Amino acid sequence: RRMAETALVIAAHPDDGEFGAAGYSAQLAARGWDVYFLIATNGAKGTEDRSMPRERLIALRREEQREACRRLGARDVFFLDHEDGELVYTRVLLEQLVRFIRMLRPHAVLTHDPTDIIIRDSFINHPDHRALGTAALDAVYPTARDHLNFPEHLAEGLEPHRVREVLLWNTNQPNFDVDIEPQVDQKILALSAHLTQFGSLADFAAFSRERWKSGAGRYVERFRGVELQF
Protein backbone atom coordinates (compact mmCIF):
# COMPACT_ATOMS: atom_id res chain seq x y z
CA ARG A 1 0.00 0.00 0.00
CA ARG A 2 1.38 3.41 -0.94
CA MET A 3 2.24 5.93 1.73
CA ALA A 4 0.55 9.33 1.93
CA GLU A 5 -2.89 7.91 1.24
CA THR A 6 -6.07 9.42 2.69
CA ALA A 7 -8.57 7.82 5.07
CA LEU A 8 -11.99 9.27 5.86
CA VAL A 9 -13.77 8.28 9.08
CA ILE A 10 -17.52 8.91 8.69
CA ALA A 11 -19.30 8.80 12.07
CA ALA A 12 -22.82 9.60 13.21
CA HIS A 13 -21.93 11.25 16.54
CA PRO A 14 -18.92 12.74 18.28
CA ASP A 15 -16.93 9.84 19.84
CA ASP A 16 -18.34 7.13 17.50
CA GLY A 17 -15.26 7.21 15.30
CA GLU A 18 -12.98 6.87 18.30
CA PHE A 19 -14.86 3.89 19.67
CA GLY A 20 -14.87 2.23 16.28
CA ALA A 21 -11.54 3.08 14.75
CA ALA A 22 -9.28 5.33 16.87
CA GLY A 23 -6.50 2.75 17.11
CA TYR A 24 -6.34 2.09 13.39
CA SER A 25 -6.77 5.78 12.61
CA ALA A 26 -3.79 6.58 14.83
CA GLN A 27 -1.77 3.85 13.10
CA LEU A 28 -2.55 5.27 9.68
CA ALA A 29 -1.70 8.81 10.77
CA ALA A 30 1.61 7.59 12.19
CA ARG A 31 2.36 5.93 8.83
CA GLY A 32 1.92 9.24 7.07
CA TRP A 33 -1.68 8.92 5.94
CA ASP A 34 -3.95 11.96 5.93
CA VAL A 35 -6.80 11.00 8.26
CA TYR A 36 -10.01 13.04 8.30
CA PHE A 37 -13.17 12.72 10.40
CA LEU A 38 -16.68 13.65 9.22
CA ILE A 39 -19.38 13.83 11.93
CA ALA A 40 -22.98 13.74 10.74
CA THR A 41 -24.93 14.95 13.81
CA ASN A 42 -24.61 17.78 16.32
CA GLY A 43 -24.37 15.60 19.45
CA ALA A 44 -27.31 17.40 21.04
CA LYS A 45 -28.71 14.29 22.76
CA GLY A 46 -25.50 13.10 24.40
CA THR A 47 -25.84 13.90 28.10
CA GLU A 48 -27.58 12.80 31.29
CA ASP A 49 -27.05 16.27 32.79
CA ARG A 50 -30.52 17.84 32.81
CA SER A 51 -29.11 21.27 33.54
CA MET A 52 -26.94 21.31 30.40
CA PRO A 53 -28.23 23.86 27.83
CA ARG A 54 -28.63 22.37 24.39
CA GLU A 55 -26.47 24.90 22.56
CA ARG A 56 -23.69 24.58 25.13
CA LEU A 57 -23.71 20.78 24.76
CA ILE A 58 -23.45 21.07 20.98
CA ALA A 59 -20.53 23.49 21.26
CA LEU A 60 -18.75 21.36 23.88
CA ARG A 61 -19.10 18.15 21.90
CA ARG A 62 -17.74 19.82 18.79
CA GLU A 63 -14.67 21.01 20.72
CA GLU A 64 -14.27 17.57 22.32
CA GLN A 65 -14.28 15.97 18.87
CA ARG A 66 -11.66 18.42 17.63
CA GLU A 67 -9.45 17.64 20.61
CA ALA A 68 -9.89 13.89 20.16
CA CYS A 69 -8.82 14.21 16.52
CA ARG A 70 -5.76 16.19 17.55
CA ARG A 71 -4.83 13.40 19.97
CA LEU A 72 -5.08 10.86 17.15
CA GLY A 73 -3.05 12.85 14.67
CA ALA A 74 -5.99 13.43 12.31
CA ARG A 75 -5.57 16.32 9.90
CA ASP A 76 -9.05 17.79 10.29
CA VAL A 77 -12.65 17.12 11.29
CA PHE A 78 -15.84 18.32 9.61
CA PHE A 79 -19.41 18.55 10.92
CA LEU A 80 -22.70 18.22 9.06
CA ASP A 81 -24.86 19.24 12.07
CA HIS A 82 -27.89 17.06 11.47
CA GLU A 83 -30.06 16.68 14.55
CA ASP A 84 -28.82 13.98 16.91
CA GLY A 85 -31.24 11.06 17.15
CA GLU A 86 -33.16 12.12 14.05
CA LEU A 87 -30.73 11.29 11.25
CA VAL A 88 -32.56 10.12 8.14
CA TYR A 89 -31.12 8.90 4.85
CA THR A 90 -32.06 11.68 2.44
CA ARG A 91 -30.74 12.96 -0.87
CA VAL A 92 -29.33 15.94 1.08
CA LEU A 93 -27.28 13.66 3.36
CA LEU A 94 -26.08 11.60 0.39
CA GLU A 95 -24.96 14.74 -1.45
CA GLN A 96 -23.01 15.92 1.59
CA LEU A 97 -21.20 12.60 1.92
CA VAL A 98 -20.42 12.44 -1.79
CA ARG A 99 -19.12 16.02 -1.65
CA PHE A 100 -16.60 15.15 1.07
CA ILE A 101 -15.55 11.95 -0.68
CA ARG A 102 -14.92 13.88 -3.89
CA MET A 103 -13.18 16.69 -2.02
CA LEU A 104 -10.89 14.54 0.16
CA ARG A 105 -10.50 11.62 -2.30
CA PRO A 106 -9.91 8.88 0.30
CA HIS A 107 -8.36 5.52 -0.48
CA ALA A 108 -10.27 4.11 2.53
CA VAL A 109 -13.57 4.99 4.18
CA LEU A 110 -14.24 3.80 7.74
CA THR A 111 -17.82 3.91 9.01
CA HIS A 112 -20.66 2.14 10.82
CA ASP A 113 -21.84 -1.27 9.66
CA PRO A 114 -25.54 -0.62 8.96
CA THR A 115 -26.56 -4.17 8.15
CA ASP A 116 -27.74 -5.40 11.56
CA ILE A 117 -29.94 -3.93 14.29
CA ILE A 118 -28.53 -6.24 17.01
CA ILE A 119 -24.74 -6.32 17.32
CA ARG A 120 -23.00 -9.34 18.88
CA ASP A 121 -26.18 -10.06 20.86
CA SER A 122 -25.11 -7.34 23.29
CA PHE A 123 -26.42 -3.99 22.07
CA ILE A 124 -28.77 -2.31 19.62
CA ASN A 125 -27.24 -0.50 16.68
CA HIS A 126 -28.36 3.15 17.00
CA PRO A 127 -30.75 4.26 14.23
CA ASP A 128 -28.42 7.18 13.41
CA HIS A 129 -25.61 4.65 12.90
CA ARG A 130 -27.72 2.56 10.55
CA ALA A 131 -28.92 5.54 8.52
CA LEU A 132 -25.43 6.99 8.17
CA GLY A 133 -23.73 3.67 7.42
CA THR A 134 -26.18 2.98 4.61
CA ALA A 135 -25.80 6.46 3.16
CA ALA A 136 -22.00 6.27 3.42
CA LEU A 137 -21.88 2.95 1.57
CA ASP A 138 -24.16 4.32 -1.15
CA ALA A 139 -21.98 7.42 -1.39
CA VAL A 140 -18.91 5.23 -1.90
CA TYR A 141 -20.66 3.04 -4.46
CA PRO A 142 -22.08 3.97 -6.83
CA THR A 143 -22.79 7.65 -6.23
CA ALA A 144 -19.37 9.31 -5.84
CA ARG A 145 -18.02 7.47 -8.89
CA ASP A 146 -20.50 8.64 -11.51
CA HIS A 147 -20.24 12.18 -12.84
CA LEU A 148 -23.97 12.12 -13.57
CA ASN A 149 -24.68 12.05 -9.82
CA PHE A 150 -24.69 15.61 -8.47
CA PRO A 151 -23.26 17.08 -11.69
CA GLU A 152 -23.13 20.47 -9.98
CA HIS A 153 -20.00 19.19 -8.23
CA LEU A 154 -18.14 19.25 -11.53
CA ALA A 155 -18.69 22.99 -11.80
CA GLU A 156 -16.97 23.33 -8.41
CA GLY A 157 -14.01 21.26 -9.53
CA LEU A 158 -15.06 18.16 -7.58
CA GLU A 159 -14.34 15.20 -9.83
CA PRO A 160 -15.83 11.70 -9.38
CA HIS A 161 -13.80 9.51 -7.04
CA ARG A 162 -13.36 5.77 -6.57
CA VAL A 163 -12.85 4.63 -2.96
CA ARG A 164 -10.77 1.44 -2.88
CA GLU A 165 -11.42 0.11 0.62
CA VAL A 166 -14.27 0.24 3.14
CA LEU A 167 -13.90 -0.76 6.78
CA LEU A 168 -17.05 -1.16 8.89
CA TRP A 169 -16.92 -1.17 12.68
CA ASN A 170 -19.43 -2.69 15.16
CA THR A 171 -20.05 -5.55 12.80
CA ASN A 172 -21.37 -9.07 13.22
CA GLN A 173 -19.19 -10.21 10.31
CA PRO A 174 -15.62 -9.11 11.09
CA ASN A 175 -12.94 -10.29 8.69
CA PHE A 176 -10.12 -7.85 9.47
CA ASP A 177 -8.55 -7.51 12.91
CA VAL A 178 -6.14 -4.67 13.68
CA ASP A 179 -3.75 -5.16 16.59
CA ILE A 180 -3.91 -1.83 18.45
CA GLU A 181 -1.77 -2.85 21.43
CA PRO A 182 0.66 0.05 20.77
CA GLN A 183 -2.23 2.50 20.31
CA VAL A 184 -4.59 1.49 23.11
CA ASP A 185 -3.47 4.30 25.42
CA GLN A 186 -3.80 6.78 22.56
CA LYS A 187 -7.31 5.49 21.85
CA ILE A 188 -8.29 5.91 25.49
CA LEU A 189 -6.72 9.38 25.52
CA ALA A 190 -8.75 10.36 22.44
CA LEU A 191 -11.98 9.06 23.93
CA SER A 192 -11.24 10.79 27.23
CA ALA A 193 -11.39 14.11 25.35
CA HIS A 194 -15.16 13.60 25.35
CA LEU A 195 -15.59 14.95 28.87
CA THR A 196 -19.37 15.34 28.54
CA GLN A 197 -19.75 11.61 27.90
CA PHE A 198 -17.62 9.68 30.37
CA GLY A 199 -16.88 9.55 34.08
CA SER A 200 -13.46 9.31 35.63
CA LEU A 201 -10.64 8.45 33.28
CA ALA A 202 -9.55 5.53 35.48
CA ASP A 203 -12.98 3.87 35.39
CA PHE A 204 -13.35 4.53 31.69
CA ALA A 205 -9.90 3.18 30.89
CA ALA A 206 -10.58 -0.06 32.79
CA PHE A 207 -13.89 -0.55 30.99
CA SER A 208 -12.34 0.23 27.61
CA ARG A 209 -9.42 -2.16 28.02
CA GLU A 210 -11.75 -5.08 28.73
CA ARG A 211 -13.97 -4.18 25.77
CA TRP A 212 -11.14 -4.21 23.23
CA LYS A 213 -9.18 -7.22 24.50
CA SER A 214 -9.19 -10.21 22.18
CA GLY A 215 -9.34 -13.83 23.25
CA ALA A 216 -5.57 -13.94 22.81
CA GLY A 217 -5.16 -11.09 25.28
CA ARG A 218 -4.21 -8.46 22.69
CA TYR A 219 -6.07 -5.22 22.05
CA VAL A 220 -7.80 -5.25 18.69
CA GLU A 221 -10.22 -3.30 16.55
CA ARG A 222 -12.38 -5.54 14.39
CA PHE A 223 -13.80 -4.50 11.04
CA ARG A 224 -15.72 -5.90 8.15
CA GLY A 225 -13.35 -4.98 5.33
CA VAL A 226 -14.44 -4.61 1.72
CA GLU A 227 -11.78 -4.30 -1.00
CA LEU A 228 -13.58 -2.77 -3.97
CA GLN A 229 -12.44 -4.64 -7.05
CA PHE A 230 -14.02 -2.42 -9.70
PDB file of all heavy atoms in Angstrom, residues 174-188:
ATOM      1  N   PRO A 174     -16.984  -9.628  11.224  1.00  0.00           N
ATOM      2  CA  PRO A 174     -15.620  -9.112  11.090  1.00  0.00           C
ATOM      3  C   PRO A 174     -14.741 -10.067  10.286  1.00  0.00           C
ATOM      4  O   PRO A 174     -14.832 -11.281  10.423  1.00  0.00           O
ATOM      5  CB  PRO A 174     -15.136  -9.003  12.541  1.00  0.00           C
ATOM      6  CG  PRO A 174     -15.931 -10.031  13.284  1.00  0.00           C
ATOM      7  CD  PRO A 174     -17.273 -10.060  12.614  1.00  0.00           C
ATOM      8  N   ASN A 175     -13.898  -9.489   9.439  1.00  0.00           N
ATOM      9  CA  ASN A 175     -12.937 -10.294   8.685  1.00  0.00           C
ATOM     10  C   ASN A 175     -11.549  -9.658   8.676  1.00  0.00           C
ATOM     11  O   ASN A 175     -10.664 -10.105   7.960  1.00  0.00           O
ATOM     12  CB  ASN A 175     -13.423 -10.508   7.241  1.00  0.00           C
ATOM     13  CG  ASN A 175     -13.617  -9.196   6.478  1.00  0.00           C
ATOM     14  OD1 ASN A 175     -13.245  -8.124   6.952  1.00  0.00           O
ATOM     15  ND2 ASN A 175     -14.219  -9.292   5.304  1.00  0.00           N
ATOM     16  N   PHE A 176     -11.389  -8.577   9.459  1.00  0.00           N
ATOM     17  CA  PHE A 176     -10.119  -7.846   9.469  1.00  0.00           C
ATOM     18  C   PHE A 176      -9.872  -7.322  10.878  1.00  0.00           C
ATOM     19  O   PHE A 176     -10.589  -6.435  11.349  1.00  0.00           O
ATOM     20  CB  PHE A 176     -10.189  -6.691   8.460  1.00  0.00           C
ATOM     21  CG  PHE A 176      -8.963  -5.818   8.422  1.00  0.00           C
ATOM     22  CD1 PHE A 176      -7.694  -6.355   8.271  1.00  0.00           C
ATOM     23  CD2 PHE A 176      -9.088  -4.444   8.527  1.00  0.00           C
ATOM     24  CE1 PHE A 176      -6.574  -5.540   8.221  1.00  0.00           C
ATOM     25  CE2 PHE A 176      -7.975  -3.617   8.478  1.00  0.00           C
ATOM     26  CZ  PHE A 176      -6.715  -4.175   8.330  1.00  0.00           C
ATOM     27  N   ASP A 177      -8.908  -7.931  11.561  1.00  0.00           N
ATOM     28  CA  ASP A 177      -8.546  -7.505  12.915  1.00  0.00           C
ATOM     29  C   ASP A 177      -7.279  -6.659  12.865  1.00  0.00           C
ATOM     30  O   ASP A 177      -6.304  -7.022  12.199  1.00  0.00           O
ATOM     31  CB  ASP A 177      -8.286  -8.719  13.814  1.00  0.00           C
ATOM     32  CG  ASP A 177      -9.565  -9.430  14.223  1.00  0.00           C
ATOM     33  OD1 ASP A 177     -10.646  -9.038  13.742  1.00  0.00           O
ATOM     34  OD2 ASP A 177      -9.474 -10.384  15.012  1.00  0.00           O
ATOM     35  N   VAL A 178      -7.305  -5.543  13.572  1.00  0.00           N
ATOM     36  CA  VAL A 178      -6.138  -4.671  13.676  1.00  0.00           C
ATOM     37  C   VAL A 178      -5.625  -4.729  15.109  1.00  0.00           C
ATOM     38  O   VAL A 178      -6.369  -4.428  16.048  1.00  0.00           O
ATOM     39  CB  VAL A 178      -6.485  -3.220  13.303  1.00  0.00           C
ATOM     40  CG1 VAL A 178      -5.265  -2.322  13.479  1.00  0.00           C
ATOM     41  CG2 VAL A 178      -7.012  -3.143  11.884  1.00  0.00           C
ATOM     42  N   ASP A 179      -4.380  -5.147  15.271  1.00  0.00           N
ATOM     43  CA  ASP A 179      -3.751  -5.158  16.589  1.00  0.00           C
ATOM     44  C   ASP A 179      -3.450  -3.715  16.981  1.00  0.00           C
ATOM     45  O   ASP A 179      -2.630  -3.055  16.347  1.00  0.00           O
ATOM     46  CB  ASP A 179      -2.463  -5.986  16.535  1.00  0.00           C
ATOM     47  CG  ASP A 179      -1.820  -6.169  17.901  1.00  0.00           C
ATOM     48  OD1 ASP A 179      -1.918  -5.252  18.740  1.00  0.00           O
ATOM     49  OD2 ASP A 179      -1.208  -7.222  18.128  1.00  0.00           O
ATOM     50  N   ILE A 180      -4.128  -3.209  18.017  1.00  0.00           N
ATOM     51  CA  ILE A 180      -3.914  -1.827  18.448  1.00  0.00           C
ATOM     52  C   ILE A 180      -3.214  -1.772  19.805  1.00  0.00           C
ATOM     53  O   ILE A 180      -3.308  -0.765  20.511  1.00  0.00           O
ATOM     54  CB  ILE A 180      -5.231  -1.039  18.493  1.00  0.00           C
ATOM     55  CG1 ILE A 180      -6.210  -1.637  19.509  1.00  0.00           C
ATOM     56  CG2 ILE A 180      -5.857  -0.947  17.106  1.00  0.00           C
ATOM     57  CD1 ILE A 180      -7.320  -0.692  19.912  1.00  0.00           C
ATOM     58  N   GLU A 181      -2.505  -2.846  20.160  1.00  0.00           N
ATOM     59  CA  GLU A 181      -1.774  -2.849  21.433  1.00  0.00           C
ATOM     60  C   GLU A 181      -0.910  -1.581  21.598  1.00  0.00           C
ATOM     61  O   GLU A 181      -0.966  -0.946  22.650  1.00  0.00           O
ATOM     62  CB  GLU A 181      -0.898  -4.102  21.519  1.00  0.00           C
ATOM     63  CG  GLU A 181      -0.242  -4.303  22.869  1.00  0.00           C
ATOM     64  CD  GLU A 181      -1.094  -5.138  23.823  1.00  0.00           C
ATOM     65  OE1 GLU A 181      -2.070  -5.751  23.364  1.00  0.00           O
ATOM     66  OE2 GLU A 181      -0.774  -5.152  25.017  1.00  0.00           O
ATOM     67  N   PRO A 182      -0.159  -1.161  20.582  1.00  0.00           N
ATOM     68  CA  PRO A 182       0.663   0.048  20.769  1.00  0.00           C
ATOM     69  C   PRO A 182      -0.157   1.336  20.834  1.00  0.00           C
ATOM     70  O   PRO A 182       0.350   2.354  21.303  1.00  0.00           O
ATOM     71  CB  PRO A 182       1.573   0.057  19.534  1.00  0.00           C
ATOM     72  CG  PRO A 182       1.518  -1.329  18.977  1.00  0.00           C
ATOM     73  CD  PRO A 182       0.142  -1.818  19.296  1.00  0.00           C
ATOM     74  N   GLN A 183      -1.411   1.289  20.361  1.00  0.00           N
ATOM     75  CA  GLN A 183      -2.231   2.504  20.305  1.00  0.00           C
ATOM     76  C   GLN A 183      -3.341   2.535  21.353  1.00  0.00           C
ATOM     77  O   GLN A 183      -4.132   3.479  21.366  1.00  0.00           O
ATOM     78  CB  GLN A 183      -2.878   2.645  18.917  1.00  0.00           C
ATOM     79  CG  GLN A 183      -1.926   2.993  17.800  1.00  0.00           C
ATOM     80  CD  GLN A 183      -1.149   1.796  17.302  1.00  0.00           C
ATOM     81  OE1 GLN A 183      -1.666   0.672  17.315  1.00  0.00           O
ATOM     82  NE2 GLN A 183       0.085   2.014  16.864  1.00  0.00           N
ATOM     83  N   VAL A 184      -3.426   1.534  22.227  1.00  0.00           N
ATOM     84  CA  VAL A 184      -4.589   1.491  23.109  1.00  0.00           C
ATOM     85  C   VAL A 184      -4.625   2.684  24.051  1.00  0.00           C
ATOM     86  O   VAL A 184      -5.688   3.255  24.315  1.00  0.00           O
ATOM     87  CB  VAL A 184      -4.669   0.142  23.866  1.00  0.00           C
ATOM     88  CG1 VAL A 184      -3.549   0.003  24.894  1.00  0.00           C
ATOM     89  CG2 VAL A 184      -6.037  -0.019  24.518  1.00  0.00           C
ATOM     90  N   ASP A 185      -3.478   3.119  24.550  1.00  0.00           N
ATOM     91  CA  ASP A 185      -3.466   4.297  25.420  1.00  0.00           C
ATOM     92  C   ASP A 185      -3.859   5.549  24.651  1.00  0.00           C
ATOM     93  O   ASP A 185      -4.546   6.432  25.186  1.00  0.00           O
ATOM     94  CB  ASP A 185      -2.085   4.479  26.053  1.00  0.00           C
ATOM     95  CG  ASP A 185      -1.785   3.424  27.116  1.00  0.00           C
ATOM     96  OD1 ASP A 185      -2.746   2.857  27.666  1.00  0.00           O
ATOM     97  OD2 ASP A 185      -0.598   3.172  27.373  1.00  0.00           O
ATOM     98  N   GLN A 186      -3.434   5.627  23.388  1.00  0.00           N
ATOM     99  CA  GLN A 186      -3.800   6.779  22.560  1.00  0.00           C
ATOM    100  C   GLN A 186      -5.298   6.783  22.275  1.00  0.00           C
ATOM    101  O   GLN A 186      -5.940   7.841  22.258  1.00  0.00           O
ATOM    102  CB  GLN A 186      -2.995   6.755  21.263  1.00  0.00           C
ATOM    103  CG  GLN A 186      -3.064   8.035  20.459  1.00  0.00           C
ATOM    104  CD  GLN A 186      -2.152   8.004  19.243  1.00  0.00           C
ATOM    105  OE1 GLN A 186      -1.518   6.981  18.956  1.00  0.00           O
ATOM    106  NE2 GLN A 186      -2.077   9.111  18.518  1.00  0.00           N
ATOM    107  N   LYS A 187      -5.860   5.601  22.072  1.00  0.00           N
ATOM    108  CA  LYS A 187      -7.305   5.494  21.847  1.00  0.00           C
ATOM    109  C   LYS A 187      -8.073   5.952  23.085  1.00  0.00           C
ATOM    110  O   LYS A 187      -9.037   6.718  22.984  1.00  0.00           O
ATOM    111  CB  LYS A 187      -7.662   4.049  21.488  1.00  0.00           C
ATOM    112  CG  LYS A 187      -9.168   3.800  21.306  1.00  0.00           C
ATOM    113  CD  LYS A 187      -9.430   2.448  20.677  1.00  0.00           C
ATOM    114  CE  LYS A 187     -10.928   2.155  20.621  1.00  0.00           C
ATOM    115  NZ  LYS A 187     -11.355   1.562  19.347  1.00  0.00           N
ATOM    116  N   ILE A 188      -7.638   5.499  24.247  1.00  0.00           N
ATOM    117  CA  ILE A 188      -8.292   5.913  25.494  1.00  0.00           C
ATOM    118  C   ILE A 188      -8.140   7.413  25.694  1.00  0.00           C
ATOM    119  O   ILE A 188      -9.085   8.104  26.115  1.00  0.00           O
ATOM    120  CB  ILE A 188      -7.721   5.117  26.686  1.00  0.00           C
ATOM    121  CG1 ILE A 188      -8.171   3.654  26.586  1.00  0.00           C
ATOM    122  CG2 ILE A 188      -8.160   5.724  28.007  1.00  0.00           C
ATOM    123  CD1 ILE A 188      -7.474   2.723  27.553  1.00  0.00           C
TER     124      ILE A 188
END
